[in-house]
Amino acid sequence: MYKKRKIVNVEEVTNEEEVATLKTALEDKNKEIESDRKKHEETVANLNLKEVESENDKIEINNLKRKLSESKHIVDELKERIKCPVCLEVPQTGPVPVCPNGHLVCNECKKRVGNAC
């Protein structure tokens, strides 16, 4: 009994090597594509997060502007209430005298006017 020998064609060996090489290259390329896809998804997620943060920052800025405007209004109202009715200036030093009618009068005007109010 003779064993049959398989005859191997040189072209088949070369083709098998090429196929193996191409498969390896394809697997490497698929890994690279998957890695790039994940990076892209992370970038998109980061951009979405930054967009949300930007919107939140805009809301916060508008809230702070509103509060500043309200504070300025309060300060203006307080200045109006404490300004001297004679010279129309806000007293800069204390103590601030009060006339018999309850008006705040600056020291300079109190000296000039006396108790006449």
Side-chain angles (χ1 to χ4, degrees):
M1 288 208 160
Y2 294 102
K3 280 188 171 181
K4 284 189 174 180
R5 283 186 172 190
K6 184 175 181 182
I7 299 175
V8 177
N9 187 348
V10 175
E11 287 179 10
E12 288 177 11
V13 171
T14 304
N15 285 340
E16 287 175 8
E17 289 173 355
E18 285 180 17
V19 168
T21 302
L22 290 173
K23 280 183 180 180
T24 303
L26 183 60
E27 289 170 358
D28 291 343
K29 197 62 169 173
N30 283 336
K31 288 177 185 176
E32 184 181 330
I33 290 170
E34 182 63 22
S35 174
D36 288 347
R37 184 189 62 76
K38 287 180 181 178
K39 287 179 187 175
H40 175 74
E41 287 176 355
E42 288 175 7
T43 301
V44 169
N46 286 336
L47 288 174
N48 289 338
L49 181 61
K50 286 181 181 179
E51 188 176 306
V52 168
E53 289 173 346
S54 176
E55 286 300 316
N56 290 341
D57 289 345
K58 288 177 185 176
I59 292 168
E60 183 66 21
I61 287 170
N62 287 334
N63 287 338
L64 290 172
K65 284 180 179 178
R66 182 181 47 76
K67 287 179 182 178
L68 178 62
S69 175
E70 290 171 0
S71 295
K72 284 181 180 178
H73 175 73
I74 291 171
V75 168
D76 290 342
E77 190 174 317
L78 288 173
K79 283 181 179 179
E80 191 63 34
R81 288 184 182 193
I82 64 170
K83 74 180 177 181
C84 174
V86 178
C87 67
L88 303 177
E89 295 290 325
V90 175
Q92 300 297 314
T93 61
V96 179
V98 180
C99 78
N101 291 329
H103 302 120
L104 298 174
V105 182
C106 70
N107 285 317
E108 291 299 316
C109 291
K110 176 71 174 169
K111 290 177 190 172
R112 282 190 290 144
V113 176
N115 287 333
C117 183

